[in-house]
Amino acid sequence: MLLIDYTIKGFAQVLGSDAPAPGGGSTAALEGALGISLLRMVGALTAGRKKYAEHEAFIARLIEQAEEIQTEFLEVIDEDTRAFNQVSAVFEMPKGTDEEKTARKNAMQEALKACTKTPYKMMQLCDRSAALASAALDKYNTNAASDFGVAALSLKAAVQGAWLNILINIGGIDDAAFVEEYRSGGQAILAKVLPAADHIYQSIEQSL
């Protein structure tokens, strides 16, 4: 059963169990999905309102793009758990001979890379989401200000959660070029998303 097909209660129960997955990675993706869903909600509550008529075209694009990002975030919830299961499968591989040990090591390296690529995808989705949210900051229905603020908090949690999952995996990867690519890429995204999320939250808090 896919994680996205669980009820909220069911997801929370399996998350709180001793099962190794889902864990922080899938939860980070869920946070991202919640954040972009809230931004989509803000757009829906703005669309068609006379007070915001001058922003109608922008809001229509926001809703469309938010829906696309929402779909991608939901997909990556299960993608993260599948990647983790790939790591778990390596521990079941035989290691009695030198050849088996080499095959096991190579399989683990590939599995760790997969577990790095998935949260990096989350970070990229957070980047797109934060850019969209920032552009909407002066164009939305202010009756939904608190919802917008929670969207920013959710995206911040998502990007930081994804980053922690990258760090824990690249620590075991031998490919220095791969490690540098994902470390520097992740740091660059953090440098954009965190200030953007903080600015949105602070602007909203001050307006209330």
Side-chain angles (χ1 to χ4, degrees):
M1 182 177 179
L2 294 176
L3 293 173
I4 59 171
D5 292 330
Y6 275 70
T7 63
I8 295 173
K9 181 179 180 180
F11 184 91
Q13 287 177 332
V14 69
L15 187 64
S17 73
D18 61 358
S26 291
T27 302
L30 177 58
E31 284 281 8
L34 295 174
I36 196 63
S37 297
L38 277 169
L39 184 60
R40 184 180 172 192
M41 169 191 173
V42 171
L45 292 172
T46 307
R49 302 295 177 92
K50 290 182 179 180
K51 184 177 179 179
Y52 307 100
E54 62 181 304
H55 305 305
E56 190 67 26
F58 169 82
I59 292 299
R61 291 193 302 273
L62 180 145
I63 293 171
E64 180 181 358
Q65 291 173 33
E67 183 177 8
E68 293 172 0
I69 297 171
Q70 179 191 57
T71 298
E72 293 183 62
F73 262 128
L74 290 173
E75 290 172 352
V76 84
I77 291 173
D78 280 287
E79 185 178 327
D80 182 84
T81 293
R82 286 194 298 270
F84 178 83
N85 288 339
Q86 188 177 336
V87 171
S88 298
V90 175
F91 292 108
E92 303 301 320
M93 294 177 65
K95 53 179 178 179
T97 67
D98 289 342
E99 291 78 8
E100 288 174 343
K101 290 177 182 177
T102 298
R104 195 172 188 264
K105 180 180 178 180
N106 291 338
M108 179 59 78
Q109 289 296 302
E110 290 306 309
L112 289 173
K113 286 183 176 181
C115 282
T116 301
K117 292 176 181 178
T118 305
Y120 189 74
K121 184 185 295 185
M122 295 177 207
M123 293 190 76
Q124 291 176 313
L125 292 171
C126 289
D127 191 12
R128 289 166 56 192
S129 301
L132 193 60
S134 294
L137 192 53
D138 60 349
K139 303 178 181 68
Y140 75 100
N141 183 346
T142 54
N143 289 329
S146 59
D147 304 298
F148 199 168
V150 176
L153 290 172
S154 294
L155 292 172
K156 184 176 181 180
V159 77
Q160 290 183 299
W163 176 236
L164 291 179
N165 277 270
I166 288 175
L167 290 177
I168 200 170
N169 287 299
I170 61 176
I173 296 175
D174 298 330
D175 185 339
F178 180 94
V179 170
E180 176 56 27
E181 177 185 354
Y182 284 86
R183 184 187 296 276
S184 60
Q187 289 172 333
I189 292 174
L190 282 176
K192 290 190 290 181
V193 175
L194 296 183
D198 285 341
H199 176 66
I200 291 168
Y201 178 83
Q202 291 163 7
S203 297
I204 290 170
E205 183 181 40
Q206 291 169 8
S207 72
L208 296 176

